[in-house]
């Protein structure tokens, strides 16, 4: 029983709902959004038909395409502008089977500059198991690919040098005899 300032009793009726879980979920979504927006990898979200719905700022930086240029377009049409030998058949088959696809490819920025990217594409399913979205991540690995090539060349040169040294040593031993 509650009384007002004059001492007259009155009833208070109300209901309470615990929204702790919902607040935590909202905070988690905000953190996830901030992480995706600030990631160094480019992120792409398409609908089940490959129509681009979202790209993050890193995608814009890596590819040179702005968000407004790609949202609403088919991801394949944008990729066809970027490379001569699309990987779409292999990637689409993997996604259709519900599998994750990943690979490395050499492609072009909007300005035509060539670069190497690692890509990973994953289907997103609803509770019934139907693919409703596709999420892709790309990373510019041009420098890493260049360093890897240089390392391979150096290793081949080292092997040739070792072989030549061995032959010279054997030839020298034969001459000494």
């Amino acid at each position: 029983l509650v009384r007002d300032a004059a001492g007259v009793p009155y009833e208070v009726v109300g209901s309470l709902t615990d929204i702790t879980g919902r607040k935590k979920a909202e905070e988690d979504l905000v953190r996830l959004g901030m992480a995706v927006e600030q990631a160094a990898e480019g992120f792409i979200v398409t609908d089940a038909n490959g129509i681009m719905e979202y790209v993050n700022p890193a995608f814009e930086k890596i590819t040179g395409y702005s968000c407004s240029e790609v949202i609403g377009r088919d991801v394949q049409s944008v990729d066809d502008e970027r490379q001569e030998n699309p990987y779409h058949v292999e990637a689409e088959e993997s996604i259709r089977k519900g599998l994750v696809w990943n690979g490395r490819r050499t492609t072009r920025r909007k300005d035509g500059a060539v670069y190497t990217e690692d890509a990973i594409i994953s289907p997103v399913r609803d509770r019934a198991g139907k693919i409703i979205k596709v999420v892709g991540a790309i990373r510019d690995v041009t420098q890493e690919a260049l360093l890897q090539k240089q390392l391979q060349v150096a290793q081949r040169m080292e092997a040739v040098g070792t072989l030549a040294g061995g032959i010279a040593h054997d030839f020298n031993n034969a001459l000494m005899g």
Side-chain angles (χ1 to χ4, degrees):
L1 195 60
V2 178
R3 297 186 184 276
D4 65 11
V8 179
Y10 64 95
E11 277 187 40
V12 176
V13 178
S15 67
L16 299 173
T17 303
D18 184 2
I19 60 170
T20 306
R22 186 175 70 191
K23 284 292 196 184
K24 179 168 180 354
E26 288 172 0
E27 290 170 1
D28 290 346
L29 281 174
V30 168
R31 276 194 299 277
L32 175 62
M34 287 174 39
V36 170
E37 285 288 310
Q38 296 177 28
E41 292 78 16
F43 286 100
I44 308 150
V45 177
T46 73
D47 66 11
N49 298 314
I51 304 302
M52 298 176 87
E53 297 179 339
Y54 170 81
V55 297
N56 71 342
F59 174 89
E60 295 176 316
K61 183 178 177 184
I62 292 168
T63 66
Y65 286 92
S66 70
C67 178
S68 62
E69 290 176 293
V70 297
I71 298 300
R73 287 183 60 190
D74 187 313
V75 70
Q76 187 170 343
S77 70
V78 174
D79 275 345
D80 287 347
E81 292 174 12
R82 296 173 56 210
Q83 64 182 19
E84 295 173 9
N85 300 313
Y87 64 91
H88 291 290
V89 173
E90 182 184 332
E92 284 178 12
E93 285 179 22
S94 292
I95 297 301
R96 202 176 355 265
K97 292 176 184 174
L99 304 172
V100 174
W101 181 90
N102 62 46
R104 178 171 283 185
R105 67 184 182 157
T106 301
T107 189
R108 297 181 191 284
R109 300 185 204 290
K110 181 182 174 188
D111 65 6
V114 175
Y115 75 102
T116 303
E117 74 180 14
D118 279 345
I120 186 165
I121 304 169
S122 305
V124 177
R125 299 174 185 275
D126 64 10
R127 292 182 192 262
K130 179 182 174 190
I131 297 172
I132 56 169
K133 303 273 185 208
V134 177
V135 176
I138 61 172
R139 187 167 62 100
D140 184 348
V141 294
T142 306
Q143 286 303 111
E144 291 92 335
L146 181 62
L147 290 173
Q148 191 173 29
K149 274 186 182 177
Q150 289 174 349
L151 176 61
Q152 289 170 348
V153 168
Q155 287 173 333
R156 282 195 297 263
M157 294 299 290
E158 180 182 10
V160 168
T162 302
L163 179 63
I167 292 171
H169 182 71
D170 289 348
F171 183 68
N172 190 34
N173 285 344
L175 287 177
M176 293 302 277

